[in-house]
């Protein structure tokens, strides 16, 4: 029951909305994926937006500058004495050079006639009347930003002067990219700081849950004491619910235990009285009646034995699920089992011999379950042993396993020994065996990661080998 | 042997009392925890053995067990339990029980366990009968080796007593057979040989040997 609660807390670490999902998943991993996606999208968005804004601002600034310089050039073209006088203002070009280290192209035309500068510049709208034009065009395999201004040369407007000024844009593009990168980097740094804060917060939130899980995992199966840990209010609600569930399970377990104890007592005590009464009766009778009274007593004891084995199996199911293991001195455990069964064996004249090695054998196991398994194996061996025969018990140790051998001089296990390890299968035809002893021993071995092997010995008799990993 | 039987089920209590009385034991019966404490107050030190049921109408038998162990009583306690919970047996032994018997049980098994319990609690009396390397207590039928009791099964005890009683410590198979079994029991000489074999094995560590004398039987010999 406690293990269910542990699983419950494990699930509670996950988000409540996902409790119904079957596949386990990590909240941290999911958050990390979501945040990474948002980070990438936000970075690209910031880069593109910053890039567009920067481009617009830089372009406007370049256009204004080019327009100012083109105006200065245009102002330097004047009519004097029926001719045109033009003196190129070099200092204006210097201003352009200071602003950005770019290539500069210019052209001055009188109507359609080029009077100064590059003659092969792109031909924009030269129609009369256009005073200002801004356009980007490719010149000499480079993108060049052009500004064209015009003015009439005389008041009659018979002649027009055009100034076309162009500047490449490489450094401006670099500036735009730098601004966009800076904006995106700022966003990434801010987001990463927020993500770290988020993860730290999440970690702090999950820490009490990990403590609860550790607390539940490390406690013995029957420990139902409330979980106490410092936790935020949100987690405290879960702890309260968990403690209420623990309390409920504790009460349920106590109730079912008390019921089993009481029921066992109520069933077995009258059987004990019946058994003794029939035994005493047998003493007073003779002949067939005596045998029948004796049989009654024997049947009563075997009924009780079956009840005992059924309850043992039920108790083992509970114990073995929880893997209660402790270091156990195996030789001491075997001696104690032999002591318990010696009176039973003596009445049949069967000797229980423990062939002990000198070295102590220490194994990690559920000692109570292993004791019960050994009682089953030896009880079974005594039942099937002929009178005055011997049962040998010995331990064999290998680097990986410890084997407990129980060897008897009985009829062995027949042609299909494995079948006898199933519950309620017995070779007895007198209906006096419970048929659960070997099944219990097999189960205890399996739950310890070991096995039970039943062998027919060449010299006769059976041998049970209970093998447990070291 | 003086026994205190603490058992609440009337029929079981009655049968137990009558069986123990027939076996010449003196029995006090208590059917509740309260009566058990009263009996103990009156004649606690006189009891050789306590037969204690664990489920009583006014409490747990283990309360009584813990109380008498707290009062440093060394009396042998055999617990009768109908419970099957695995931890209970361990708990009972931890609480000071010497042995337990799960209900229902055979009267012969009860007798055997009581005998072992009684013997275990005995102290060594002075002036015991010498039977080197052992000393024999004829009242309680116990062999002692120095300060320890020799652990023998009932058949082995009967055999060793036969050698002790026979002049020259020589016993024939037939006389040993008479010792072991009553007239109405069908046994063979093989049974004597098996028990002799087991006794031989047990006493070898004390330097005792059983020599086989052709046509005569066995002779007990101590070779230190």
């Amino acid at each position: 029951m406690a293990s269910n609660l542990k699983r419950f807390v494990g699930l509670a670490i996950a988000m409540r909305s996902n409790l119904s999902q079957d596949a386990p998943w990590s909240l941290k991993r999911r958050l990390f994926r979501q945040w990474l996606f948002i980070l990438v999208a936000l970075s690209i968005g910031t880069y593109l937006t910053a890039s567009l804004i920067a481009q617009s601002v830089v372009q406007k600034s370049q256009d204004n500058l080019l327009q100012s310089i083109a105006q200065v050039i245009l102002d330097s073209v004047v009519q004097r004495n029926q001719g045109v006088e033009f003196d190129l203002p070099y200092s204006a070009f210097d201003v352009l050079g200071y602003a950005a280290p770019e290539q500069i192209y210019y052209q001055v035309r009188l109507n359609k006639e080029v009077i100064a500068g590059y003659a092969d510049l792109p031909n924009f709208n030269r129609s009369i009347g256009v005073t200002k034009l801004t356009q980007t065009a490719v010149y000499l395999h480079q993108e060049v930003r052009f500004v064209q201004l015009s003015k009439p040369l005389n008041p009659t407007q018979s002649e027009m002067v055009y100034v076309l000024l162009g500047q490449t844009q490489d450094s401006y593009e670099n500036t735009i990219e730098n601004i966009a990168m800076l904006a995106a980097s700022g966003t990434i740094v801010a987001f990463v700081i927020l993500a770290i804060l988020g993860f730290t917060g999440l970690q702090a939130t999950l820490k009490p849950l990990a403590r609860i899980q550790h607390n539940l995992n490390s406690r013995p199966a029957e420990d139902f004491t409330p979980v106490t840990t410092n936790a935020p209010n949100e987690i405290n609600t879960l702890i309260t619910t968990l403690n209420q569930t623990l309390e409920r399970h504790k009460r349920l377990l106590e109730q079912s235990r008390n019921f089993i104890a009481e029921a066992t007592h109520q069933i077995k005590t009258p059987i004990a009285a019946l058994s003794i009464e029939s035994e005493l009766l047998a003493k007073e009778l003779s002949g067939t009646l005596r045998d029948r009274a004796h049989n009654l007593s024997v049947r009563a004891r075997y009924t009780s034995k079956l009840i005992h084995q059924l309850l043992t199996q039920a108790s083992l199911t509970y114990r073995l699920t929880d893997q209660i293991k402790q270091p156990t001195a195996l030789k001491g455990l075997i001696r104690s089992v032999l002591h318990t069964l010696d009176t039973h064996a003596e009445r049949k004249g069967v000797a229980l011999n423990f062939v002990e090695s000198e070295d102590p054998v220490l194994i990690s196991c559920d000692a109570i379950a292993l004791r019960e398994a050994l009682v089953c194996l030896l009880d079974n061996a005594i039942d099937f042993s002929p009178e005055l025969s011997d049962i040998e018990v010995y331990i064999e140790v290998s680097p990986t396993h410890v084997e407990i051998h129980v060897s008897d001089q009985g009829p062995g296990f027949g042609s299909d020994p494995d079948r006898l390890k199933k519950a309620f299968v017995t070779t007895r035809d007198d209906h006096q065996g419970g048929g659960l002893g070997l099944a219990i021993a097999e189960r205890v071995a399996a739950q310890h990661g070991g096995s039970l092997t039943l062998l027919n010995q060449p010299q006769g008799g059976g041998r049970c080998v209970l093998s447990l990993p070291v | 042997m003086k026994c205190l039987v603490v058992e609440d089920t009337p029929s079981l209590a009655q049968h137990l009392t009558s069986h123990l009385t027939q076996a010449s034991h003196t029995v006090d019966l208590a059917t509740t925890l309260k009566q058990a404490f009263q009996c103990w107050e009156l004649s606690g030190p006189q009891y050789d053995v306590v037969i204690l049921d664990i489920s009583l109408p006014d409490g747990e038998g283990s309360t009584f067990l813990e109380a008498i162990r707290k009062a440093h009583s060394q009396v042998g306690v055999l617990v009768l339990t109908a419970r099957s919970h695995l931890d209970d047996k361990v708990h009972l032994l931890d609480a000071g029980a010497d042995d337990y018997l799960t209900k229902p049980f055979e009267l012969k098994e009860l007798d055997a366990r009581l005998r072992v319990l009684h013997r275990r609690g005995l102290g060594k009396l002075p002036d015991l009968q010498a039977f080197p390397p052992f000393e024999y207590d004829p009242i309680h039928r116990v062999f002692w080796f120095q300060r320890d009791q020799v652990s023998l099964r009932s058949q082995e005890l009967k055999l060793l007593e036969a050698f002790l009683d026979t002049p020259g410590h020589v016993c024939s198979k037939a006389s040993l057979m008479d010792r072991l079994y009553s007239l109405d029991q069908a046994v063979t000489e093989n049974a004597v040989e098996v028990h002799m074999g087991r006794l031989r094995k047990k006493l070898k560590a004390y330097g005792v040997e059983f020599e086989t004398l052709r046509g005569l039987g066995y002779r007990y010999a101590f070779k230190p």
Side-chain angles (χ1 to χ4, degrees), chain A residues 3 33 81 120 144 155 194 202 267 339 365-366 403 405 416 420 423-424 438 456 462:
Chain A
S3 59
R33 275 204 299 268
N81 303 327
D120 57 345
V144 181
L194 279 175
L202 183 66
I267 294 168
H339 172 73
C365 67
D366 177 352
E403 290 180 350
H405 295 246
D416 186 7
L420 297 174
F424 303 111
L438 293 176
N456 291 311

Side-chain angles (χ1 to χ4, degrees), chain A residues 73-123:
Chain A
I73 298 169
L74 193 63
D75 289 345
S76 67
V77 181
V78 289
Q79 188 177 35
R80 206 176 293 271
N81 303 327
Q82 301 300 315
V84 175
E85 195 178 298
F86 170 56
D87 191 13
L88 192 63
Y90 288 103
S91 58
F93 289 108
D94 288 343
V95 173
L96 268 180
Y98 295 143
E102 298 287 348
Q103 300 286 331
I104 302 164
Y105 307 101
Y106 76 97
Q107 185 185 68
V108 181
R109 290 193 321 272
L110 187 59
N111 293 327
K112 290 183 180 179
E113 183 194 351
V114 176
I115 57 171
Y118 294 80
D120 57 345
L121 288 182
N123 187 9

